[in-house]
Amino acid sequence: MQNTIGGLGEFALIRRVTSKFPRTDDVILGPGDDAAVVAAPDGRTVATTDLLVEGRHFRRDWSTARDVGHRAVAQNFADVVAMGARPTGLLIGFAAPADLPLEWAEEFTLGVRDECAAAGGAVVGGDTVGCDTLTIAITALGDLQGRAPVRRDGARPGDVVAYSGHLGLSAAGLALLTAGTAGAAGTAACLDEYRRPSPPYPAGPEAARLGATAMLDVSDGLAQDLGHVCRASGVRIDLDPDLLRPEPALTEAVRVLGEEPGRAVAFMVSGGEDHALAATFPAGADLPGHWHRIGTVLPAAEEELRVTVAGRVPERTGWDHFPGE
Amino acid sequence: MQNTIGGLGEFALIRRVTSKFPRTDDVILGPGDDAAVVAAPDGRTVATTDLLVEGRHFRRDWSTARDVGHRAVAQNFADVVAMGARPTGLLIGFAAPADLPLEWAEEFTLGVRDECAAAGGAVVGGDTVGCDTLTIAITALGDLQGRAPVRRDGARPGDVVAYSGHLGLSAAGLALLTAGTAGAAGTAACLDEYRRPSPPYPAGPEAARLGATAMLDVSDGLAQDLGHVCRASGVRIDLDPDLLRPEPALTEAVRVLGEEPGRAVAFMVSGGEDHALAATFPAGADLPGHWHRIGTVLPAAEEELRVTVAGRVPERTGWDHFPGE
């Protein structure tokens, strides 16, 4: 039992885990009290929460504990920067079976630590409980630095649509794992992005400074997520397939999977979990090269508030955790 | 399937649930975007997180969905007020099996709504995922209103120890349920407190204003929780058994359970989950009547940083979610 979290005991686990987390200037009071105190310099706090459940959001045989730690943090801080905010604090709820190897918990912690460092945020608190299903609950906080939050409802006809980060690689990585062809040459970037998505953190506040009218992170799939912008803003977004240029690893993954080359664009349009940022900008915005223009915002009637690709509705539109009948 | 959350689908569930939550002045941007924006008027945010797992923290046959909603919110906002802060925002992670009755999710939501109203906070965001084990992750935020947070490390020899709220009722309620004697006359308050703990929310900021030197909420048991104050502050806390006066429902519960009358004090000392507030105050503090003086802070050697009752170490000291060997 001594090499499981059950053998160590709850308070010992918390002490061992929190001792690994560096503090930042945003941490006014860190872990160890009833609650943490985090800086909110402009009088507002951005807050978002996500759950990761073993077997649904990760598999211990497909991702290392460290990967899961990275991903858990990345998908939450991606939501923070998608508001145009700077990551500040993170809280971790860790529900695990008593027979979870201590090494898994510790490696997870190291992934959390390193992804926090990449994003610029700090772990400020958490909770550890027993649970038959390994479940990780993350809450991320952020600082808008005096700017208005970039919401989903501000896209206007004539705006350009652009993304920063990766699109389709994570979904292709998952497809490779599912097909048992994960080791194929030239596709490693897909696996990497599936296991440890790399949101372009600085691009979120940057987009806000550049005047982004709407922004979100791509978690459920580009078309599905931009669909939220369409409905909230009362617009249609048309993506230009000629501007949807797959990265080499995605092109290669599609080949290894035995699918037509055209499927690479489908992965970009429907695949989620890369946690790219997608945003709309005024037509004249001067976008840095890591913002890839992919489409245009159009006026739309009430029944046309959706994403199209070259004018047509794409087939697959994403992922629903409780698919309805 | 239509009467389960699986039948409804994730986005429909989120829409249905979030539509029930009223907003407060602290909600700058509520649910529906990548992240919420919550007011943090003094430039700091208090943040805490807790997980509730079915079978460990609640049972669907012992608590209604509404009870669980109340409890999930109460135990988190109790942590916020234990810092001396005012509740502001709440985020809910809801991991549930697809066959969970829709009615359960909706009743849970109503409990969350009502407890938020009692505490003065608002639901600002959440996440809904599928999971074999019903697991609820709550993060609560608060506003210190310009005051210093009341930590665990400020107790000084000579301070008085006091609590506000209930002590021992929840644990007695659980004991009654376990013994199958939950319907006994005169014990309803114990069951109520087990199902829906009622933290004395205003007493937290009040204690801060009254000069509390240390404070926490009693979640794992009075002696165990005050033990954290002892170790953090470098003191011993001696509780006076003559000042530990059981409420009538607790006295009656002990009788129904067939235990000696003296066990009522043991429930007060060892029982957790009422989410009373326990605090230390300077000796001359003028405490309102709902703060019950129960002991004294004493100087202590390194090996005596603990809670005693009339000078003796109490037997049971609380609850560890992963008891070590």
Side-chain angles (χ1 to χ4, degrees), chain B:
Chain B
M1 277 288 278
Q2 275 303 337
N3 291 321
T4 64
I5 60 171
L8 187 64
E10 181 188 9
F11 291 109
L13 177 65
I14 290 172
R15 272 195 302 275
R16 189 184 283 217
V17 160
T18 56
S19 67
K20 290 197 166 63
F21 297 127
R23 295 169 76 136
T24 66
D25 290 347
D26 294 310
V27 184
I28 297 169
L29 180 64
D33 216 301
D34 292 272
V37 184
V38 184
D42 77 356
R44 300 170 297 173
T45 296
V46 168
T48 180
T49 196
D50 259 338
L51 290 162
L52 286 86
V53 177
E54 179 174 11
R56 293 174 192 256
H57 304 101
F58 65 90
R59 285 174 50 161
R60 273 192 256 173
D61 55 338
W62 284 1
S63 296
T64 66
R66 211 182 259 242
D67 292 337
V68 176
H70 274 276
R71 173 133 58 115
V73 174
Q75 72 181 53
N76 279 278
F77 277 143
D79 282 324
V80 167
V81 300
M83 302 306 290
R86 174 184 70 86
T88 55
L90 192 93
L91 299 105
I92 309 175
F94 192 79
D99 65 358
L100 184 77
L102 192 54
E103 188 189 359
W104 201 96
E106 294 191 317
E107 285 289 316
F108 168 81
T109 301
L110 295 175
V112 167
R113 180 196 65 184
D114 293 346
E115 194 65 28
C116 278
V123 174
V124 297
D127 187 26
T128 310
V129 301
C131 181
D132 291 339
T133 309
L134 178 56
T135 301
I136 295 152
I138 304 275
T139 299
L141 306 176
D143 162 29
L144 285 162
Q145 303 179 300
R147 292 180 298 269
V150 184
R151 300 164 51 151
R152 299 177 171 189
D153 58 1
R156 295 163 309 186
D159 285 352
V160 301
V161 181
Y163 81 94
S164 186
H166 302 286
L167 279 182
L169 270 63
S170 175
L174 177 59
L176 290 167
L177 283 165
T178 307
T181 53
T187 64
C190 296
L191 275 295
D192 289 351
E193 206 57 31
Y194 168 73
R195 292 180 172 134
R196 301 185 185 186
S198 51
Y201 297 116
E206 176 188 62
R209 288 191 298 268
L210 289 166
T213 52
M215 181 158 55
L216 40 63
D217 91 301
V218 181
S219 52
D220 293 321
L222 180 67
Q224 177 164 324
D225 287 322
L226 283 177
H228 298 310
V229 170
C230 292
R231 287 184 292 279
S233 301
V235 298
R236 175 158 75 93
I237 285 178
D238 191 51
L239 302 177
D240 180 343
D242 292 339
L243 296 176
L244 289 163
R245 299 198 189 105
E247 295 182 49
L250 176 55
T251 303
E252 183 58 20
V254 166
R255 202 191 60 74
V256 168
L257 289 166
E259 305 207 35
E260 301 170 38
R263 285 286 300 153
V265 170
F267 271 109
M268 293 182 73
V269 171
S270 300
E273 308 215 328
D274 292 290
H275 299 286
L277 294 174
T280 57
F281 296 92
D286 186 18
L287 301 181
H290 55 266
W291 280 98
H292 310 289
R293 185 177 164 167
I294 52 172
T296 310
V297 178
L298 301 170
E302 185 66 38
E303 67 278 14
E304 292 179 330
L305 307 179
R306 61 191 173 210
V307 173
T308 52
V309 180
R312 300 200 329 205
V313 178
E315 268 177 40
R316 292 167 51 197
T317 54
W319 171 257
D320 182 337
H321 293 292
F322 295 114
E325 289 175 321

Side-chain angles (χ1 to χ4, degrees), chain A residues 137-165:
Chain A
I138 304 273
T139 298
L141 306 176
D143 163 28
L144 286 162
Q145 302 178 300
R147 293 181 297 269
V150 183
R151 300 164 53 152
R152 298 177 171 190
D153 59 1
R156 296 163 308 184
D159 285 354
V160 300
V161 181
Y163 81 93
S164 184

